[in-house]
């Protein structure tokens, strides 16, 4: 009964350690992976918007009319998928100049439209970011809904244009959720293997210790029996010696009387 309680206590201890350490490591791994994925997506959007802004700058330098450039950009992005990633363009007044959906062209961004949180966790309205005319990006949260996206805006030199790259956070979160489930399955399987392996190892060590203890006990019993046999032999020899001395004394007694 004591052995069963010991095994249960060891199993509970190992399980607790595995669960605590695994949960902490899983959360840390998930959070670092999430941050890395968001940063990668932001850098990708930053690179894409810069390339398009550079292309527009080259077209302006070659003397192409601004309206023609805007129309060409609109044709190149029109009807592209807006569910994952897309490119559009605003001006510093918050007016949308180009969008994959032509219905959005002319839409004016207001101060209450959305906010952007950058890498330093500072929040500003998207309208204020456009008004500044400076390149920046982060996580955009729409105030009217719970929709979020990763956005980066790049200014085009010598214009009031702001090229923006958008990435749907909902799809990214779905990818992260699937990745989390994979981490969770791997954690559960590895945890089961660790717990089972540790329990079997402890049980084998316990059996080995019990076998060694039994062997030592057998050796001690053997030595004890040998010692008892030796004591018995010594006692028999002592009794035989005493008997012989007694017999010798009895045989000498008459001779002494005759001499007297």
């Amino acid at each position: 009964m004591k052995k069963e309680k010991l095994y249960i206590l060891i199993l509970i201890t190992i399980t607790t350690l595995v669960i605590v350490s695994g949960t902490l490591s899983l959360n840390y791994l998930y959070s670092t992976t999430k941050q890395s994925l968001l940063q990668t997506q932001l850098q990708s959007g930053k690179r894409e918007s810069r390339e398009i802004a550079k292309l527009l700058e080259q077209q302006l330098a070659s003397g192409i009319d601004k309206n023609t450039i805007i129309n060409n950009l609109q044709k190149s992005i029109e009807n592209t998928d807006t569910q994952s990633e897309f490119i559009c363009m605003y001006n510093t007044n918050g007016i949308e100049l180009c969008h994959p959906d032509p219905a959005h062209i002319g839409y004016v961004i207001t101060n209450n439209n959305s906010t952007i949180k950058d890498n330093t966790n500072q929040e500003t309205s998207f309208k204020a970011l456009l008004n500044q005319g400076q390149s920046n990006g982060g996580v955009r949260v729409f105030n009217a809904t719970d929709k979020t996206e990763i956005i980066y805006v790049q200014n085009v030199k010598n214009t009031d244009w702001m090229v923006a790259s958008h990435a749907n956070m909902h799809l990214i979160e779905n990818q992260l959720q699937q990745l989390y489930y994979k981490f969770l399955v791997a954690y559960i399987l590895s945890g089961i293997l660790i717990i089972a392996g540790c329990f079997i190892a402890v049980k084998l060590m316990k059996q080995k210790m019990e076998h060694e203890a039994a062997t030592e006990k057998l050796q001690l019993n053997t030595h004890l029996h040998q010692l008892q046999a030796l004591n018995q032999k010594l006692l028999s020899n002592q009794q035989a010696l005493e008997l012989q001395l007694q017999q010798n004394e009895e045989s000498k007694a008459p001779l002494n009387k005759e001499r007297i």
Side-chain angles (χ1 to χ4, degrees):
M1 189 65 180
K2 292 183 178 180
K3 293 181 181 180
E4 296 297 330
K5 290 183 178 180
L6 179 61
Y7 291 151
I8 293 174
L9 180 60
I10 293 174
L11 181 61
I12 293 174
T13 303
I14 295 174
T15 303
T16 303
L17 292 175
V18 171
I19 291 175
V20 172
S21 61
T23 302
L24 294 176
S25 61
L26 180 62
N27 291 334
Y28 174 76
L29 182 61
Y30 176 75
S31 61
T32 53
T33 303
K34 180 178 180 180
Q35 291 297 327
S36 176
L37 183 58
L38 294 178
Q39 287 297 323
T40 301
Q41 186 63 53
L42 182 61
Q43 291 298 323
S44 176
K46 182 178 180 179
R47 181 174 59 255
E48 186 177 8
S49 59
R50 279 183 174 181
E51 291 175 354
I52 294 178
K54 190 68 175 178
L55 180 61
L56 298 180
E57 292 171 4
Q58 292 175 355
Q59 292 179 3
L60 287 171
S62 63
I64 301 177
D65 182 66
K66 287 186 176 181
N67 292 329
T68 302
I69 295 175
I70 293 175
N71 291 332
N72 291 336
L73 178 61
Q74 176 61 31
K75 290 179 181 179
S76 64
I77 66 173
E78 192 167 326
N79 296 324
T80 56
D81 184 21
T82 59
Q83 297 301 317
S84 55
E85 302 177 14
F86 64 95
I87 291 291
C88 66
M89 188 169 71
Y90 306 87
N91 63 16
T92 53
N93 293 323
I95 301 175
E96 196 146 14
L97 303 177
C98 298
H99 192 276
D101 185 358
H104 286 77
I105 297 176
Y107 179 79
V108 180
I109 303 297
T110 63
N111 289 324
N112 297 327
N113 173 267
S114 55
T115 58
I116 292 183
K117 181 183 291 186
D118 59 15
N119 294 332
T120 60
N121 289 328
Q122 293 183 353
E123 289 189 4
T124 183
S125 67
F126 185 49
K127 174 72 178 294
L129 181 64
L130 294 175
N131 294 152
Q132 293 173 2
Q134 297 179 356
S135 301
N136 203 345
V139 177
R140 182 185 181 187
V141 180
F142 291 84
N143 297 331
T145 63
D146 58 352
K147 180 182 177 182
T148 57
E149 65 180 10
I150 297 176
I151 188 171
Y152 189 86
V153 292
Q154 175 69 40
N155 64 316
V156 181
K157 293 180 181 179
N158 302 322
T159 67
D160 61 348
W161 299 343
M162 302 290 288
V163 178
S165 66
H166 303 257
N168 193 341
M169 279 286 293
H170 180 68
L171 295 178
I172 297 175
E173 289 176 352
N174 286 339
Q175 293 176 0
L176 288 172
Q177 196 68 27
Q178 294 177 1
L179 184 62
Y180 178 80
Y181 289 147
K182 292 180 180 179
F183 286 159
L184 184 61
V185 171
Y187 155 67
I188 292 175
L189 293 177
S190 61
I192 292 174
L193 291 176
I194 291 173
I195 293 172
C198 291
F199 182 72
I200 292 173
V202 170
K203 190 172 183 179
L204 292 176
M205 291 176 61
K206 182 67 177 178
Q207 291 178 352
K208 183 178 180 181
M209 293 174 62
E210 291 177 350
H211 177 70
E212 292 178 352
T215 303
E216 292 180 356
K217 183 177 180 180
L218 180 62
Q219 292 177 351
L220 289 174
N221 290 332
T222 302
H223 293 321
L224 180 61
H225 292 158
Q226 292 176 353
L227 182 60
Q228 289 177 350
L230 180 61
N231 290 335
Q232 187 67 30
K233 185 176 181 180
L234 290 174
L235 182 61
S236 299
N237 292 335
Q238 183 179 2
Q239 291 176 352
L241 181 61
E242 290 178 354
L243 181 61
Q244 184 177 2
L245 291 175
Q246 184 178 1
Q247 291 176 353
N248 292 336
E249 290 178 358
E250 291 177 354
S251 60
K252 291 180 180 180
L255 295 175
N256 292 335
K257 291 180 180 180
E258 290 178 358
R259 290 179 181 176
I260 293 171

